[in-house]
Amino acid sequence: TVIKSLKTGEISIGIYGGIRMERIEAFEQMLCDIQKQAAYEEEQMQKLKAAGKEKSATYRQFLENRFFYKQMLDTYKKYGLIE
């Protein structure tokens, strides 16, 4: 397993700093899930908006979630984990 440190740029083989590959894979899965859920909720918001339901509780919840997902994805970008 090859891992590149974001801080030092060093490349290590095997376990790096006690982080197991399963943990890294879990973070990757979390990122994928956040991206999928954000896209799904954006689609649902568009449908609700088209139906004139921007003031509904569901739309507002999706809007709040959107801000949360944006913050999460911006944090991933900040640390160079996504573009």
Side-chain angles (χ1 to χ4, degrees), residues 17-18 25 33 35 49-50 54-56 61 66 75 79 83:
E25 289 169 358
D33 290 347
Q35 290 172 322
K49 187 174 185 177
E54 291 125 317
K55 296 190 181 206
S56 70
Q61 183 63 54
R66 185 174 170 190
T75 300
Y79 288 95
E83 297 178 2

Side-chain angles (χ1 to χ4, degrees), residues 20-81:
R20 299 175 312 204
M21 284 308 297
E22 295 85 20
R23 185 170 179 176
I24 293 170
E25 289 169 358
F27 279 107
E28 289 290 336
Q29 185 61 52
M30 181 181 75
L31 170 60
C32 183
D33 290 347
I34 290 170
Q35 290 172 322
K36 285 179 185 177
Q37 189 65 28
Y40 168 78
E41 290 187 15
E42 177 65 28
E43 182 182 317
Q44 295 304 307
M45 286 177 68
Q46 290 174 4
K47 289 178 182 179
L48 289 167
K49 187 174 185 177
K53 296 184 178 183
E54 291 125 317
K55 296 190 181 206
S56 70
T58 302
Y59 184 89
R60 290 180 183 187
Q61 183 63 54
F62 284 149
L63 185 61
E64 287 180 32
N65 291 350
R66 185 174 170 190
F67 292 125
F68 173 75
Y69 297 138
K70 182 178 180 342
Q71 183 179 11
M72 291 290 296
L73 295 171
D74 285 347
T75 300
Y76 273 103
K77 287 178 188 174
K78 176 182 173 182
Y79 288 95
L81 299 171

Side-chain angles (χ1 to χ4, degrees), residues 4-21:
K4 182 177 180 182
S5 168
L6 294 175
K7 290 183 180 179
T8 65
E10 295 175 356
I11 296 177
S12 298
I13 297 176
I15 296 176
Y16 180 75
I19 298 175
R20 299 175 312 204
M21 284 308 297

